[in-house]
Amino acid sequence: MSADIPPTAILSRTIYLIVVVAAIGFVVFGWKPLQWLGVAGTIVFLGLEVRHIPLFQALMAVFLVSVGIIVGVELGDADPVDIALSGIAKAQIFLVLFFAIQWLQTPASISPALHAVRRTVVSQPPGRRFLYLAASGHILGSVLNVAGLVLLSTMVERQKDALLQRRMASALMQNYIVASTWSPFFISVVVILIALPELSWLDVVTGGLPMALIAVGVSWLHDRIRYRPRALGDVRSPSVPLEAPHGRNLTCVFATLIVLVIGTVEWSGLSLPVVLGFVGPLFGMFWMALIEGPTVPPWRSAWRVVRRVYGRIEGLRSEALAFTASSIVGVGFATGFPMDAIVPFAGQGGWIIFGLIFAILGLGFLGIHPLVSVIVISEAVPPTVLGMPVQVVGLSLLGVWGLTTLVSPVSGTTLIMARFVPASSYTIAWRWSPPYTILAAVAIGLFVYAVWRMELY
């Protein structure tokens, strides 16, 4: 098998594994040489894979790194090498997260229970289809992340009616991305918990779930007003109920995964990406063994998952570059950001909340990933400078993260959906999404403002 794999691919995969092990080892044991081993590995991995990264993403990364270093050097008198190395060191933990999530995608792609869910959603009549699609997109996405979106997007691809296809695609994307307000399997939660260490997991759940419900409600209302009056040609077809065994199996799998992850985080005190780095591989192999049943030896099921994950590692090159560049620019801005420019606005909650939300949303519209905006804001402008509780700032950032990916033509959400509908990611981001995104952003901003005014935090 290895004879068919280019030597550079084998080298890239091996180096990425070294980075993951080094990053986890540094967090667990605190050995500084492991951190520098991870930094060196990240540089080599990106050097090997940069030629395979889309030109726009590569140029954007170069631009961000340049801006971050210039700001840090010119305004903060920092050493450019120190800025770059510190940013790369901070990014390693995110590479662990991408690696961990890969282990869940292989069993998810062949799970009979998940395929049964898809059949049930597709078969629903018009009156219930949105509800089923929204619920399945949100729940599957909250645990499987992008794997859940891809799994359900295939039914959008098969839809022949153009209007109905657009409605289904919008509903799926809108309700998938709002899981980013609370789910531990979304990078948004990980980034914000790391960037704002005073923020607890309980803060994320208690504030994020209400924001998710608000965004889902806005999505339903937007669909009813914008699309429903024109959708007069929907044909009612017999619905296929979800068989009880599939529902029970899926519930047990998801509940076990969530309990294992959150329980381990609370018990060990380790960060979420590190826990996922431990739990993800073992859980993925165990899930595959359950799917294939007693007729297949467990070691063979486990080996199948290992081979699939190992064969896709170099595909994480774009994510690795984006997060490394974002970390470097965050460090640069944290070093040289002029704090005096923010002080006059400190304590003006309403303006700050909506200013944060719509600034990040606007940058996303221009192609700046929310990761960059959130890291820069959290690194350069701490909540104490803004004169607001860290929970309020954290909820503002969580609430806008997913919405920003809807209006960005280069986000994973729009790029994935563009594979399944006859529209480009630019059409999806700049024509389909803005009306809903603006409504949801206003609703979430009002919720966060109310939380702040009622002094719930």
Side-chain angles (χ1 to χ4, degrees), residues 84-208:
L85 293 179
S86 297
I88 296 171
K90 284 177 173 288
Q92 290 178 64
I93 199 67
F94 301 121
L95 273 63
V96 175
L97 179 65
F98 300 136
F99 173 77
I101 291 175
Q102 292 291 310
W103 292 88
L104 303 178
Q105 294 188 359
T106 295
S109 65
I110 66 170
S111 168
L114 288 174
H115 286 282
V117 168
R118 184 170 59 186
R119 288 194 299 271
T120 298
V121 172
V122 173
S123 68
Q124 296 307 307
R128 296 198 301 264
R129 187 184 295 124
F130 182 91
L131 177 63
Y132 275 69
L133 190 59
S136 59
H138 187 79
I139 294 171
L140 296 185
S142 67
V143 179
L144 301 177
N145 204 295
V146 72
L149 177 64
V150 172
L151 183 73
L152 294 175
S153 293
T154 54
M155 65 185 181
V156 176
E157 183 181 28
R158 298 190 184 106
Q159 180 55 242
K160 302 304 180 184
D161 181 88
L163 178 60
L164 184 56
Q165 184 183 58
R166 178 171 172 175
R167 290 180 65 197
M168 292 176 68
S170 298
L172 181 56
M173 289 189 298
Q174 291 164 10
N175 292 282
Y176 155 75
I177 57 93
V178 296
S180 63
T181 60
W182 66 271
S183 171
F185 303 99
F186 268 75
I187 194 66
S188 55
V189 172
V190 177
V191 169
I192 291 170
L193 285 176
I194 292 175
L196 303 174
E198 305 91 342
L199 200 65
S200 70
W201 165 247
L202 186 61
D203 294 328
V204 170
V205 174
T206 55

Side-chain angles (χ1 to χ4, degrees), residues 22 42 60 86 99 110 131 163 182 189 215 242 249 271 275 301 313 330 369-371 390 409 443:
T42 302
M60 181 62 71
S86 297
F99 173 77
I110 66 170
L131 177 63
L163 178 60
W182 66 271
V189 172
L242 180 64
N249 292 344
S271 63
V275 170
S301 299
I313 287 180
H369 195 279
L371 167 72
V390 64

Side-chain angles (χ1 to χ4, degrees), residues 221-245:
L221 185 63
H222 173 263
D223 177 80
R224 303 294 292 186
I225 295 173
R226 186 176 186 187
Y227 294 123
R228 183 66 179 167
R230 293 183 286 160
L232 302 177
D234 281 357
V235 178
R236 183 175 295 271
S237 59
S239 60
V240 177
L242 180 64
E243 298 177 15

Side-chain angles (χ1 to χ4, degrees), residues 7 74 119 157 290 304 314 322 398:
E74 295 297 327
R119 288 194 299 271
E157 183 181 28
L290 289 178
R304 181 178 177 182
E314 72 270 27
L398 281 170

